[in-house]
Amino acid sequence: MNELTHVDEAAISGQPKMSPAVEPKIVARKVQVFYGENHAIKDVDVDIPANSVMSFIGPSGCGKSTFLRCLNRMNDTIDVCRVEGKIEIDHEDIYDAKVDPVQLRAKVGMVFQKPNPFPKSIFENVAYGPRIHGLARTKTDMEEIVVTALQKAGLFAEVKDRLDAPGTGLSGGQQQRLCIARAIAVSPEVILMDEPCSALDPIATAKVEELIDELRENYTIVIVTHSMQQAARVSQRTAFFHLGLLVEEGPTDNIFTNPHDKRTQDYITGRFG
Amino acid sequence: MNELTHVDEAAISGQPKMSPAVEPKIVARKVQVFYGENHAIKDVDVDIPANSVMSFIGPSGCGKSTFLRCLNRMNDTIDVCRVEGKIEIDHEDIYDAKVDPVQLRAKVGMVFQKPNPFPKSIFENVAYGPRIHGLARTKTDMEEIVVTALQKAGLFAEVKDRLDAPGTGLSGGQQQRLCIARAIAVSPEVILMDEPCSALDPIATAKVEELIDELRENYTIVIVTHSMQQAARVSQRTAFFHLGLLVEEGPTDNIFTNPHDKRTQDYITGRFG
Amino acid sequence: MSLSVILLVLLALAAVGYVLGRSRALGSAGGDMQKLHSLPSYYGWNAALMVLIPSLLVLVAWLIVQPIVIHNQVASMISEASIEKSSLDLVMSDVKRVADGLDTAVEAGAMTADQAGSIRTEFTDVRDRLGDVGVALGSDVNSETLRAAQRYRELAGTGALLRLIVVVGFGIAGLAFAYLRSHRDFRARNVVERVVRWILLSAASIAILTTLGIVLSLIFNTIEFFRVYPAADFFFGLTWSPSFGGGSELGIVPLIWATLYISFIALAVAVPIGLFAAIYLSEYAGPHVRSFAKPLLEVLAGIPTIVYGLFALLTVGPLLVDAFGQGGLFGVDWMQGASSVLTAGFVMGIMLIPFVSSLSDDIINAVPQAMRDGSLGLGATHSETVKQVILPAALPGIVGAILLAASRAIGETMIVVLGAGAAARLSLNPLEAMTTVTAKIVSQLTGDADFASPEALVAFALGMTLFVVTLLLNIAALYIVRKYREQYE
Amino acid sequence: AEARDQIQIAGSSTVLPYASIVAEAFGENTDFPTPVVESGGSSAGLKKFCTGVGENTIDIANASRKIKDKEVKTCAENGVADIIEVRIGYDGIVFASDINGPSFSFTPADWYKALSAKVVVDGKIVDNPYKTWKDVNPDFPAQPIMAFVPGTKHGTREVFEEKVIVAGCEATGDIEAYKEAAGGDGKAAEKECMALRTDGLSVDIDGDYTETLARIDSNKDGIGVFGLAFYENNTDKLQVATMSGVTPSTETIASGEYPVSRPLFFYIKKAHIGVIPGLKEYAEFFVSDEIAGPSGPLAQYGLVADPELAQTQEAVTAETTMGN
Amino acid sequence: MTDATLRSPISEPARKKSSLLAVDALTKKRNRAEARFKAYGVSAVVIGLLFLVALLWAILSNGLGAFSQTFIQVPVRLDRTAIEAAEKSVVKTSKYRAIINTGFRAALSKAGIDTDMDDRGLQKMMSSGAAATLREFVLANPDQIGRTVTFDFVASSRVDGYLKGRVKREDLVHDKNLDAAHLDLVDQMRKADIVTKTFNWEFVLGTDASDSRPEQAGMGASMVGSFFMMLVVLLLSLPIGVAASIYLEEFAPQNWFTDLIEVNISNLAAVPSIVFGILGLAVFIQFAHLPQSAPLVGGLVLTLMTLPTIIISTRASLKAVPPSIRDAALGVGASKMQSIFHHVLPLAMPGILTGTIIGLAQALGETAPLLLIGMVGFIASNFPEGLGDGFLAPNSAMPAQIYEWAKRADPAFYERAWGGIIILLVFLMAMNILAIVLRRRFERRW
Ligand SMILES: Nc1ncnc2c1ncn2[C@@H]1O[C@H](COP(=O)(O)OP(=O)(O)OP(=O)(O)O)[C@@H](O)[C@H]1O
Ligand SMILES: Nc1ncnc2c1ncn2[C@@H]1O[C@H](COP(=O)(O)OP(=O)(O)OP(=O)(O)O)[C@@H](O)[C@H]1O
Ligand SMILES: [Mg+2]
Ligand SMILES: [Mg+2]
Ligand SMILES: O=P([O-])([O-])[O-]
């Protein structure tokens, strides 16, 4: 522990902090990710402030999802994937041997890019998380949690008559919202959302954005999005990734109005490639 | 055949044509789709003109994907799904017993909402269609087809060094583009795209839109999208679905600037729900 | 010999058909594959199938009919007197043997073909001549037999020639037909796929045919059994005690009971161990552990059951007696000898481990990673993910594996005979010796009782009853699986 | 169709060892191919034998019992009318226990009292109360009764019941009590004698003598019923008990001194003689003095040579069928 | 109903902030459950492997002895008159034994061993097959008559057992096949290098021998029988099983007929193997007139028996292939057939191969059905002469051979039965190795 803290201090102090305004919830330093030979994330340093929304933008394949998956160690499940560097949440190194990824993931929830409902009923899909974390004492508690989560995700009205139908029989956008409901039902501290609105129509998108705004008060949210409008609408800070590098990071307004880096500028003006 | 044409005429003449300007490629009349008890598409009539782009918009779960899947009979694969009514492509009833769904699907290609690459190499993913349709005589031919398709889908640059790597190891957006490449590699007459850009960043989206525009000259394209901007940018006609009904259909400009139906108006102004 | 020639000719024709069909289709499209309805190879396959299928069907029919025709022709040459002396069947087999002998002699060069057709018993000792080329005959050849044999050879020769002509003719006709049809608009793929589909259907129908065969091969003797033994006593009798002298009691109840009991114990051993092993191998173990542990466990399925039987009798049984027998570890006197339901069930369970583990492992492995990610992403532990997401998704396959293991348990003999004993008993105590339906089928079938007696015939009735009982169990299982099936994606 | 050129034999597993010895020697000593000897039991063999005549059926059935009249009838119905019966000798049935245990000299009465389901004690028919051999006969040690007897599928069981249990029943006089209870019905009384106890002290063996041996191996108190040949090959593990004072051996059985034995047979389809090459030669070879005689390899292996072998030889040579 | 009217647990988090490094009570509990679960898994595998080790230990310790064999070296003078006399008698081999005896005595006295044993006694040292070996040699090499040729005769099972430690001096008191005097002789002969113990190729490659000659019995012929049977099983059951599964899983309409087939298949799995033997006897032998005891018939019966196993496992793994893969193929215009053969089948391959491995293992070790079609017993001590013969000539199979040996009286057969099991297992592994390697290559997650 000692030795590790030691290294931390050194590593962190050795880097200029990018957003000293708020106390950062998540601190990443020199993160490298390899898929076998493929160097997918290169030397990424970023601070993610608490109780705010940060969005990751960048061209497809630049490593947004990969980096996001580092934050709750979902990359552990990919055999060929190797993560280096240091990521701290609340000053605790999440790659520390003592950290239990299970507890980490309960604290850092995730909505995946491809909707992946369980082959269970809609109700069971949402109830699953609260049940394993023991969040509901009674059946009524559980029902309340499920209904609330579905409402938050804007799905309840559409499925209230068929909570027992399989979640896999929903439309693409419905599945996505089901996955959002599933993630917020366990009320994590940090929520990672990988393109949560990509399959959603504008109205559903607006609802989810509203939800994100609401959640921000108590949670730290990281969202990957392809829509710069969305990034502008919901996030306080934005990070721009390109070819595995974090090119630029800062207050959303700055990034969009006054980017420092040529690549960022090119990207947001659509002048890329 | 005679008898069938007979019925057609009656059915079609009984309905007011909605877009008499161009010769329609696809004509749908009184289409009903049921998932078991769930009545997902109700009485949809639509003409889709040749050599143009038509977009389907509407809130999530309204039946866009379901209707799209009727057009190449992909719904045949879902046991509980039942389709009624008549759909004609080039004046031939595609639900006729004589029609070979395989030939139909070769003619009517599809990009699915959830990217579903084969667990094979990237090259094989794209080469598969051309191979079964005998589109390439030699290995070089095949390579050319694959490379061209990947280039058109805007993926080639990113994967050219790892054409032998599995397609499932790509990022979400890359997988989506791979599926687009796979669909256009067999050069169908009609291309159905279910939210092809939902996982794509603006630049990739722009490329795909460019591709759609280019393809329009020779192909008929139907695209499901959540982005009204995208619908406005790429399509000549737009159809708005709501709760399984086709509420309104017409030239894209009209729909967005001067919708007849209250529901359409509400939807495009974001005043829904 | 000529049969393989025909087959070779047909194969060659099929190959030619493939090439011709393909090239003609391509030609009709001006060499442009895209103008064809189907891939060129489908036209080739179409032609090949058109050559093979009709001609092979004709060949099979010919193979069945020709011997009958020849047999009848030759049989008419045999005099009443010789039939009187033995039987037509035997005389005919003698004829065939002599004919074969002549063939062999010609082949070996001991006779010319002419000689073989013209020798007479009056001038030649045929038995001797044939003996010289290593053809043993049971007795001297009389002139009638020899003439019949020569006629037989003649007919067989003509038949073979005709057969060649007709079968190859069909092949050529099929080839021509397919060739003419190989045109760019011809839906070759659909035709080929339809044929393949028929092939698939006929493969599936083999199960029905097998069942039919089993029922037919059991039913007559079963009926015979019920004619000599009252059905009610058989189905409801609580005692099983056959005896040679007659007066056997042949109640099936104790046997069915023990069958279910032993199978249950076997599954109680195999399912937890097998399932946990499968989960461990597919979810936790690294590729190295997996790649050696899985095949090793599969060896358990390949060890002959007699070894398991001896293992039960000599190792497991005595251990159990040490524990539960008189003056044993637990000081209880529940077990008399090494043989018991528990002994057999336990050892059978070991044998069944790979049935559960290997099949389940494959199924669990096939559950998409996205399911695991979804669950792990919610903060579930690996075991929670397995229990609540993966196993339900893999359930149909796992149930299939368990059913297979159960089936195997019901059908097992050797382990029961050695591990559970041979005496039928109706008891709840798993430490007592009992025996199963299958074991009794084997013992009554291979026993010494008069084969027309109820003691021997009962084997068929037992087989039939077991068949019906398992059929009912399977229908129930099918129903349950249908009800709880979960489909991912 | 190719003609069959080797003799096909099926039937009793008791006869199998002898048949295999003869078949092997026949193949070695003649120009005929070695016959195929299937096992599967007397009943199954006779059943196959009686399916009909012709190449597709077997030529010889081995049996450890005489063919039954009903079977002869079925045979005849299927065209197997002329059957030559050949008795090859006798199978001695012996009682043996673990070599390191005490030795026994039994009488049939001891076995009856030890194994019968019911016995007569003080004039009353009661469930068998005996638990040790000493209870049965005070001369015996107090070893728990544990008998491994042939299962009901075995022909040996019939012999055991008739020549040991019923004989013992008669010797003790218990049969009279049963007869009385059954109202004078002798058949019923015999049945009563033969019913073996089901409390686990008498264990049926449906398998072979190797199984019986293995069971004695795992339970040293056990006493098993074996074939003489099997015992003679396993004298390192087993000690044999005398019956009524006679030690079983090929000599004592042949002379009739030792009472428990059964004849072994094989049956030939006469119709196949002259058709299947070597069939008659095989039969003659089998019963020749050099093979089946008292100093031949069969006796060497444990078969009790038939004192009337000469008659059998004659019958075979003359192709005398049953009933003639 | 609007969302705002509902109390939301999200605005007041149910879990208080906690350190990741300190594991909370619930997580501890869940982790313990996790550890337990994993431990169950490990112990399941370990238990399975322990049983395997125990069984293999039993097999090896009992069976390895069968792989060595004692031979006695005897120079035999092939005397013409003696041979001619022998050829005239009914049981010629018994006369040849006398010729061997003469040679044997000479060899003994040459080695300075004198014995007063009679001829019968001497014969007990050697397998009764020795005479047949000699006769065969003489018939094959008539030019050698008159010369002296040195033979390695197989020693009798008792002598062999003595050298292997199986037969003890004190056991021979009641043994009529050998007595202590013989053992003294063996000891002396060993000193004189007349007896040797070598690897027993005859056991691996040879044919069965009768009950009186365990020392001569080998697995070779039955291995060939099993080989041809397995060939039939593999060539029929794999394609038919896979084809049937594809039909049922992918093409069959959901109706009563499909259900009937489905129930039938699972029911066939529960049919005792001996019933398949009854079927084989009735259908293949009595109805179709295929020959008795033929590996072809055995193979057909075992095919029917193996089919359910392969079908059940294949269907389960076809079911496990996600529908999106099928959609993807259909979407680019592949026919259903193509989507199955190009995409679904390769993904289902591991399960199919597992079914094949288990099904073949079962078929390879099965005896009961062979009993009824005549492949158990003392069968054709000859190797098949060609391919056709391999399928049609009477032959046994490995498990039947083992089963036969296990029943025979001479304890030497017991050793051979276990040795046969070793060969069977080696055969099994050789047979499966390809499937196991293939399966590893097809295994992947998506
Ligand atoms: N396989 C299925 N089984 C049962 N119901 C289904 C199935 N697929 C879709 N549905 C239902 O049919 C309705 C229409 O679904 P569809 O997928 O067409 O919606 P959509 O317009 O494509 O929505 P989205 O934009 O979210 O993809 C929805 O209510 C959905 O739940
Ligand atoms: N499982 C994997 N195995 C190998 N390479 C992978 C894997 N997942 C992603 N990659 C590669 O890593 C790089 C980054 O992928 P990532 O999924 O992080 O992109 P992304 O920014 O999320 O893109 P998108 O917006 O398209 O989802 C890509 O080049 C991708 O091909
Ligand atoms: Mg991504
Ligand atoms: Mg959709
Ligand atoms: O096999 P058997 O008929 O002799 O018991």
Side-chain angles (χ1 to χ4, degrees), chain A residues 138-178:
Chain A
T138 64
K139 256 191 91 163
T140 0
D141 273 10
M142 181 60 87
E143 271 163 24
E144 203 186 298
I145 292 178
V146 171
V147 170
T148 316
L150 284 171
Q151 276 169 336
K152 292 260 158 198
L155 185 62
F156 187 64
E158 285 161 63
V159 300
K160 62 173 180 290
D161 299 330
R162 45 170 177 157
L163 288 177
D164 289 335
T168 42
L170 292 175
S171 82
Q174 289 167 335
Q175 290 189 5
Q176 185 68 288
R177 282 175 284 159
L178 180 62

Side-chain angles (χ1 to χ4, degrees), chain D residues 17 46 55 84 93 123 140 147 164 204 223 240 258 271 279 281 288:
Chain D
L46 284 169
E55 272 223 303
I84 304 172
I93 295 169
F140 290 154
V164 180
D204 279 10
I223 300 179
V240 75
Y258 185 86
L279 183 54
E281 289 83 347
S288 66

Side-chain angles (χ1 to χ4, degrees), chain D residues 16 32 34 53 173 180 194 211 236 253 266 295:
Chain D
L16 178 69
F32 297 104
T34 308
V53 291
E180 213 171 286
M194 288 190 308
E211 187 191 336
D236 55 334
I253 295 169
F266 67 83
S295 57

Side-chain angles (χ1 to χ4, degrees), chain D residues 55 70 129 144 160 175 182 190 205 218 238 276 316:
Chain D
E55 272 223 303
K70 232 159 102 196
F160 172 72
I175 194 161
E190 258 185 35
I205 304 293
S218 75
L238 296 172
I276 302 299
V316 169

Side-chain angles (χ1 to χ4, degrees), chain A residues 1 25 92 94 96 98-100 102-104 107 132-133 135 144 148 151-152 184 186-187 189 215 218-219, chain E residues 1-3 6-24 26-27 30-31:
Chain A
M1 188 61 214
K25 177 85 172 173
E92 293 171 338
I94 63 168
D96 189 299
K98 286 213 199 90
V99 169
D100 185 356
V102 169
Q103 222 176 330
L104 172 67
K107 186 167 167 172
I132 55 176
H133 294 299
L135 300 189
E144 203 186 298
T148 316
Q151 276 169 336
K152 292 260 158 198
I184 57 179
V186 297
S187 37
E189 292 175 26
L215 291 172
N218 299 303
Y219 299 84
Chain E
M1 208 195 310
T2 55
D3 297 342
L6 261 138
R7 191 163 52 84
S8 106
I10 295 160
S11 48
E12 37 194 291
R15 333 170 100 247
K16 53 180 184 307
K17 299 205 172 184
S18 58
S19 166
L20 286 175
L21 295 170
V23 180
D24 66 35
L26 178 65
T27 310
R30 289 170 56 207
N31 279 342

Side-chain angles (χ1 to χ4, degrees), chain A residues 38 58-61 113-115 158 162 171-175 177 195 198-203 226 228 267 272, chain B residues 38 58-61 113-115 158 162 171-175 177 195 198-203 226 228 267 272:
Chain A
N38 185 359
S60 165
Q113 186 165 4
K114 261 201 222 182
E158 285 161 63
R162 45 170 177 157
S171 82
Q174 289 167 335
Q175 290 189 5
R177 282 175 284 159
E195 307 192 17
S198 70
L200 300 186
D201 61 285
I203 294 128
H226 282 125
M228 278 173 273
Y267 183 74
F272 226 95
Chain B
N38 185 358
S60 167
Q113 185 166 3
K114 260 199 222 181
E158 285 161 62
R162 46 169 176 157
S171 82
Q174 288 167 336
Q175 290 189 7
R177 283 175 285 159
E195 307 193 17
S198 70
L200 300 186
D201 61 287
I203 294 128
H226 282 123
M228 279 174 271
Y267 183 73
F272 226 95

Side-chain angles (χ1 to χ4, degrees), chain C residues 359-371:
Chain C
L359 291 177
S360 306
D361 172 79
D362 290 327
I363 305 299
I364 291 173
N365 213 37
V367 174
Q369 183 62 29
M371 293 296 112

